[in-house]
Amino acid sequence: MEPIIHTKNLCKAFGDIPVLSDINLAIYPGEIFGVIGRSGAGKSTLTRCFNLLERPTSGEIFFDGVEITSLPPRELYKTRQSIGMIFQQFNLLMQRNVLDNICFPLEIAGVPRAQAKARALELLEVVGLSDKAKAYPAKLSGGQKQRVAIARAIAPNPRALLCDEATSALDPETTDEILALLSDINRRFGITIVIITHEMRVIETLCTRVAVISGSKLTVEEVLQNG
Amino acid sequence: MDEFLTWLQTYSPMLAKGLLETVYMTLMSTLLAYVIGLPVGVLLVVTEKDGLVPMPALNKAVGFIVNILRSVPFLILLIAIIPFTRFVVGTTIGSTATVVPLVIAAAPFIARLVEGSLKEVDRGAIEAATAMGASPWQIVYKVLLPESRPSLLLGAAIAVTTILSYSAMAGIVGGGGLGDIAIRFGYYRYKTNVMLVTVAMLIIVVQVFQEIGTKVSKWGDKRL
């Protein structure tokens, strides 16, 4: 099977300090892939390279067989629409209500308003927040905000979903709910999920394979008895 | 009491006209200054070193021009650009003539206000939009401007009140408005009463504009 995300000799340095050295990694369609490591180990940097929020110093990154570091801007924007992302701090738009937050990536992709709204309502159902469509993010709990962020991220039907410490700001119970939701989304829509975390528990409950980043250089792949 | 009534009869038409001129100058200048200042403010944020479209040389150049214009005392600017004012509106006295220097003085100030407001926008929200494949232009008009709306409105209230106080200075060159009256009657002719009344009216106008700005900003802020 062709990997959906893979890197070739990926290196990233901030100034003189190497954060990632010679990373060769392949993530396959439909899997839930974990990336674990201490704070500052570079796991977040690695994942942010997958959608070029961070530009690698050298090396190649492929998404769905296409090398993305050399893409012209317009095509990079298009590719990014196929890669959803959720964040530790949720990063919702505070001046838009829940429904319009979920419509946001669809607006960017040029989806007509009525169609975007219908899709957003459908996703609110998936994440269990149908009653909050008109609420503003400031009125939601952390767990609810992350559900909205998930709905927003998967609205344009992405092939992959990057989760950057998505549960680190949440309490254990809410974390479990969010993890269950992610697992559900993976199964129902076949979206590849990449989970960055410093919590082993998150990896244990969800992931089929895991990359361990330690030091500034090493990447180890391990298979767990999961999934 | 009779004295007061005659006073009122003598001066109220002039004061009313002055008030209208002041409000006209202020709002007109604010509007036109935003037409220039808002895009320049956006440009300053977008072209920053770690901005959406980094263009450090352009950013430095625009920032430098903005600083120069902001350094010139308004009174000096008012007089220095008289030929330009005549070229644009055909006259150098009256309220409309005052709008020209007011716009030139206020636009760079507004550019800085806008820059400050846009920089308050959560970097995470910008990052999320980037990750979704938004172009820099989409990020400007779908994230930066709407997300900073409450702050932009507060900035607008500051801009209006500052422009109002600048407009009062235009009295020196016969610019019309309440400031003109204060200078002609209060300063040149020692009519302290007239001056005090115009100052009181200016205070009230500032209060009203500021209050409206604060209210509208709060009312539209979905974080509250």
Side-chain angles (χ1 to χ4, degrees), chain B residues 69-128:
Chain B
L69 284 173
R70 291 203 56 201
S71 314
V72 181
F74 181 62
L75 214 49
I76 308 287
L77 183 86
L78 193 64
I79 294 161
I81 66 156
I82 280 177
F84 179 70
T85 305
R86 183 176 291 125
F87 172 73
V88 176
V89 293
T91 174
T92 59
I93 49 170
S95 307
T96 304
T98 311
V99 169
V100 178
L102 278 177
V103 169
I104 293 174
F109 171 61
I110 286 169
R112 288 295 183 206
L113 281 176
V114 168
E115 182 190 20
S117 293
L118 297 187
K119 276 185 178 168
E120 283 169 30
V121 174
D122 180 22
R123 291 200 77 87
I126 299 168
E127 187 160 75

Side-chain angles (χ1 to χ4, degrees), chain A residues 84-172:
Chain A
M85 189 168 196
I86 57 173
F87 306 83
Q88 181 170 359
Q89 293 307 326
F90 323 120
N91 296 349
L92 298 175
L93 297 171
M94 302 306 278
Q95 304 294 347
R96 280 182 176 231
N97 67 24
V98 164
L99 192 74
D100 289 338
N101 260 287
I102 302 174
C103 286
F104 183 65
L106 301 169
E107 269 172 42
I108 286 170
V111 176
R113 174 81 187 148
Q115 205 181 318
K117 219 171 143 183
R119 172 78 178 143
L121 287 169
E122 180 188 315
L123 284 163
L124 273 176
E125 192 118 356
V126 172
V127 300
L129 286 176
S130 294
D131 54 328
K132 298 284 186 210
K134 295 278 173 227
Y136 283 87
K139 298 271 184 286
L140 302 180
S141 70
Q144 289 172 328
K145 281 183 198 161
Q146 198 59 290
R147 284 169 183 274
V148 175
I150 291 170
R152 180 175 72 168
I154 64 173
N157 274 315
R159 304 281 317 275
L161 176 62
L162 310 175
C163 311
D164 189 357
E165 298 277 9
T167 58
S168 300
L170 304 174
D171 62 59

Side-chain angles (χ1 to χ4, degrees), chain A residues 201-222:
Chain A
R201 194 173 69 92
V202 171
I203 302 285
E204 283 167 352
T205 42
L206 223 54
C207 300
T208 38
R209 291 193 307 141
V210 62
V212 185
I213 302 191
S214 77
S216 58
K217 319 184 167 181
L218 284 179
T219 304
V220 186
E221 275 177 68
E222 279 169 23

Side-chain angles (χ1 to χ4, degrees), chain B residues 139-164:
Chain B
I139 292 175
V140 168
Y141 79 95
K142 283 182 184 291
V143 180
L144 286 181
L145 292 173
E147 286 292 295
S148 59
R149 188 182 54 219
S151 171
L152 285 171
L153 285 169
L154 279 182
I158 296 174
V160 169
T161 50
T162 306
I163 291 170
L164 186 100

